[in-house]
Amino acid sequence: MRAQSQNGGDGNMQSKQSANSTEVSVENAGAPVRRPEKKLRAGVLGATGIVGQRLVSLLAGHPWFELTEVAASERSSGKTYAEAVRWHLGAPIPEVARTLVVKGLDPSLDCDFVFSALDSSVAGPAEEDFARAGYPVVSNCRNHRMDPDVPLLIPEVNAAHLDVIPLQQKNRGYDTGFIVTNPNCSTAGLVLVLKPLADAFGLEKIFVVTLQAISGAGYPGVASMDIQGNVVPFISGEEEKMEAEPQKLLGKWDGSRFIDAGIGLSAHCNRVPVIDGHLECVSVGLKKIASLDEVREALRNFEVGAELAALPTALRNPVVVLDDENRPQPRRDVDAGNGMAAVVGRVRECPLLDVKLTLLSHNLVRGAAGAALLNAELLAARGFLKRRVTPSESQLAEPVSR
């Protein structure tokens, strides 16, 4: 159904930012924080990669978690993290990580749970090994996202999907371990924006064209002679992920299986010469008639509940709506909400569907490391993450024979 603008569309809307504004205002979560009684010990698998580095950086000084283990490929094993990593972030390597010895992918790490930022070529079985050994696995990898007993999670969108974890443990013979995943980097921003529209008006069809940053390809990423002054209109597997993952994210868990959202969705994915930030041009078909003002307000007023607002990485309002006609832009807006916001602009009528808009999200924060961290915080708040008894602690607890 065609979205109808009232009183000439958005002409009566007063801009909340001046045309020359370069600042993005994001309301941070202000609810009381429900922290674990004692900091939980985190390990990072694939810690030397570009997403692993983001996780290491985000864990430094985290109020709920402390980094105690880093693991990577065998060629890095045995070195200190500072020796093994080729650091790409602007801030220096956190002191807590510099002297940690890089371990291999053996599930005997001294931590309570692990983040997985592994390459997909090894992530699947490695994550299963850790889950089988009793570690909760918070994964950024694609391997288990579409498994029928694994949550594909964006806390603001489908926190109820965590209810599948006991079934996953039963199906796979896991004890305290399990696997939870976050979506593809381009899917993450898209679905965060679609969620309030789905709630308010319902969704029928989505057409999306992405302009994806080179950091999404990891390091060293795309060869300079391929991307400089160029656009590459193909990213292997990306369109398939963008067309499948939103169905699970926006669908329902009925107590025994996931039911897809059943939305018509077509994606075109392109790599562009931008460092960070995936820009997406989206046309949306709605089930209910809505004015452009109503669409903007649904996005602008999207607010998480008290449980999510209490999480350290969460934003109370994770979608930012800009009224400037030339926003969002990666250079100006990618770090909105410390990289955890989805920034929306150019909300207007679509002659083919109902409404079209442009959105931007930070592919390495909201789309990767920050998404995994937020998932872990929600798991901790709901009691899924607990202190594990390590072999050294077990030995200390054993009575001395006389």
Side-chain angles (χ1 to χ4, degrees), residues 144-166:
H144 294 292
R145 286 176 185 157
M146 301 305 292
D147 288 5
D149 59 357
V150 172
L152 177 62
L153 181 66
I154 299 175
E156 301 95 334
V157 173
N158 63 333
H161 286 196
L162 290 181
D163 290 347
V164 73
I165 288 176

Side-chain angles (χ1 to χ4, degrees), residues 84-231:
V85 70
R86 184 171 181 179
W87 191 253
H88 301 299
L89 305 187
I93 301 173
E95 285 301 317
V96 68
R98 292 188 65 87
T99 58
L100 289 178
V101 176
V102 179
K103 308 283 183 63
L105 299 179
D106 182 77
S108 58
L109 302 182
D110 185 11
C111 57
D112 302 312
F113 71 101
V114 295
F115 292 101
S116 176
L118 292 166
D119 186 90
S120 60
S121 62
V122 298
E127 291 175 356
E128 291 174 13
D129 288 345
F130 274 86
R132 194 175 298 112
Y135 295 86
V137 178
V138 184
S139 175
N140 179 67
C141 308
R142 72 187 187 198
N143 303 67
H144 294 292
R145 286 176 185 157
M146 301 305 292
D147 288 5
D149 59 357
V150 172
L152 177 62
L153 181 66
I154 299 175
E156 301 95 334
V157 173
N158 63 333
H161 286 196
L162 290 181
D163 290 347
V164 73
I165 288 176
L167 179 61
Q168 179 193 141
Q169 292 172 322
K170 179 181 178 181
N171 288 347
R172 302 183 181 215
Y174 298 161
D175 183 11
T176 56
F178 55 83
I179 301 171
V180 170
T181 65
N182 57 265
N184 173 262
C185 51
S186 52
T187 302
L190 174 66
V191 172
L192 187 60
V193 170
L194 292 179
K195 172 62 174 174
L197 301 182
D199 289 348
F201 315 114
L203 300 175
E204 287 187 340
K205 296 179 181 179
I206 310 293
F207 182 82
V208 56
V209 177
T210 70
L211 308 173
Q212 296 182 219
I214 55 177
S215 61
Y219 187 88
V222 185
S224 60
M225 291 188 68
D226 289 335
I227 198 63
Q228 288 288 346
N230 196 25
V231 173

Side-chain angles (χ1 to χ4, degrees), residues 195-274:
K195 172 62 174 174
L197 301 182
D199 289 348
F201 315 114
L203 300 175
E204 287 187 340
K205 296 179 181 179
I206 310 293
F207 182 82
V208 56
V209 177
T210 70
L211 308 173
Q212 296 182 219
I214 55 177
S215 61
Y219 187 88
V222 185
S224 60
M225 291 188 68
D226 289 335
I227 198 63
Q228 288 288 346
N230 196 25
V231 173
V232 180
F234 174 72
I235 304 172
S236 180
E238 198 79 359
E239 292 175 356
E240 292 83 356
K241 285 180 276 189
M242 282 203 76
E243 290 171 357
E245 291 177 5
Q247 308 290 353
K248 186 174 182 179
L249 286 158
L250 292 168
K252 297 185 183 300
W253 167 251
D254 74 353
S256 60
R257 65 189 181 96
F258 291 110
I259 301 174
D260 282 355
I263 301 166
L265 202 160
S266 178
H268 293 254
C269 296
N270 307 272
R271 188 75 71 193
V272 299
V274 169

Side-chain angles (χ1 to χ4, degrees), residues 24-108:
V24 177
S25 176
V26 180
E27 183 180 352
N28 288 315
V33 173
R34 294 188 299 164
R35 66 174 67 238
E37 292 182 6
K38 190 174 183 180
K39 276 194 176 186
L40 294 165
R41 300 163 297 178
V44 178
L45 312 181
T48 58
I50 195 164
V51 175
Q53 292 178 32
R54 286 274 179 178
L55 280 164
V56 167
S57 179
L58 290 171
L59 285 167
H62 191 278
W64 292 11
F65 308 140
E66 59 178 335
L67 179 67
T68 59
E69 293 276 23
V70 288
S73 64
E74 291 300 323
R75 66 178 177 271
S76 299
S77 183
K79 300 177 182 177
T80 66
Y81 187 69
E83 293 169 339
V85 70
R86 184 171 181 179
W87 191 253
H88 301 299
L89 305 187
I93 301 173
E95 285 301 317
V96 68
R98 292 188 65 87
T99 58
L100 289 178
V101 176
V102 179
K103 308 283 183 63
L105 299 179
D106 182 77
S108 58

